[in-house]
Amino acid sequence: AEAADEEEEEEEELAIDLEAGLHAAAHALLAVTPLRLSCKPADLGCECEAFKERKLRSKRLLLFDRCVGGIGLTERVATAMPELLRSALELMTSCDCDDGCWLCVHSSVCTEYNACTSKKAAIAVIEGLLAAPPPPPPPLGAGSSGAPKAEPRAPPPGSSEEAPSMLGRSIGIFRSMAMSQSRSRGGT
């Protein structure tokens, strides 16, 4: 009888709610990303509503750039994903809560009010992702969409500037949009 009880307990421990784990893992990633990539927490979002509504989508951990037109944050996240996953795992495993709290996997901007989250399942999800082989690299010269990747702006000759900042890129994009609108209206 004791062996059956132990076996049943092991099965319960192995059974995780994948949707709750993905949801909590996304929140943990949102919590650590601003610390690693120098962005505002509001610049990045995650898919929450699909978990509660159980929409017919593949199970995924989806993070997205909240800025209209994007600021390149998702590409930076993709590049830093192993480090972000390790940081999110550390955040969750170092938290003394039982199965999720505001310090580890709950988010104040969750559109589903943190329903359907599980820290234990999120730890299992992230450990699985870290143990998985890395995905193959994208084709040369292609971004995540397969389109040719835009070359970064070169610093002016003699400048001490090493690379354009996020703000500098945003200003440049805004200026080019304003110039094209001005030209289309017949302005100079």
Side-chain angles (χ1 to χ4, degrees):
E2 284 183 36
D5 288 340
E6 286 179 23
E7 189 173 305
E8 189 174 300
E9 284 178 22
E10 280 183 33
E11 285 179 13
E12 285 178 13
E13 285 181 22
L14 292 176
I16 64 166
D17 183 346
L18 183 58
E19 287 88 1
L22 288 167
H23 190 182
H27 284 183
L29 283 167
L30 288 178
V32 298
T33 299
L35 303 172
R36 301 284 181 214
L37 298 183
S38 300
C39 64
K40 295 186 297 187
D43 289 344
L44 192 67
C46 70
E47 183 178 60
C48 291
E49 67 277 356
F51 300 110
K52 185 177 177 191
E53 295 176 12
R54 310 278 190 212
K55 291 181 181 173
L56 296 175
R57 294 186 182 157
S58 59
K59 304 219 183 319
R60 60 190 179 183
L61 182 58
L62 178 70
L63 302 178
F64 56 87
D65 198 326
R66 284 186 185 254
C67 297
V68 177
I71 56 173
L73 189 55
T74 52
E75 286 183 3
R76 292 172 48 214
V77 166
T79 302
M81 188 54 75
E83 178 186 346
L84 293 171
L85 288 169
R86 284 189 291 277
S87 295
L89 182 61
E90 181 182 347
L91 173 74
M92 292 184 293
T93 57
S94 67
C95 187
D96 292 332
C97 72
D98 184 39
D99 197 34
C101 71
W102 294 101
L103 298 175
C104 59
V105 299
H106 290 174
S107 170
S108 62
V109 295
C110 179
T111 57
E112 295 302 325
Y113 308 103
N114 297 296
C116 186
T117 59
S118 169
K119 179 174 97 169
K120 291 173 185 165
I123 289 170
V125 165
I126 290 181
E127 285 175 340
L129 289 170
L130 287 169
L140 290 177
S144 58
S145 65
K149 200 171 194 177
E151 290 299 318
R153 174 182 64 85
S159 168
S160 62
E161 181 183 5
E162 290 183 17
S165 67
M166 185 177 355
L167 178 61
R169 286 192 304 271
S170 298
I171 291 170
I173 291 169
F174 178 74
R175 283 183 179 154
S176 66
M177 288 171 45
M179 295 295 281
S180 68
Q181 285 181 355
S182 175
R183 283 186 209 117
S184 67
R185 292 185 185 141
T188 53

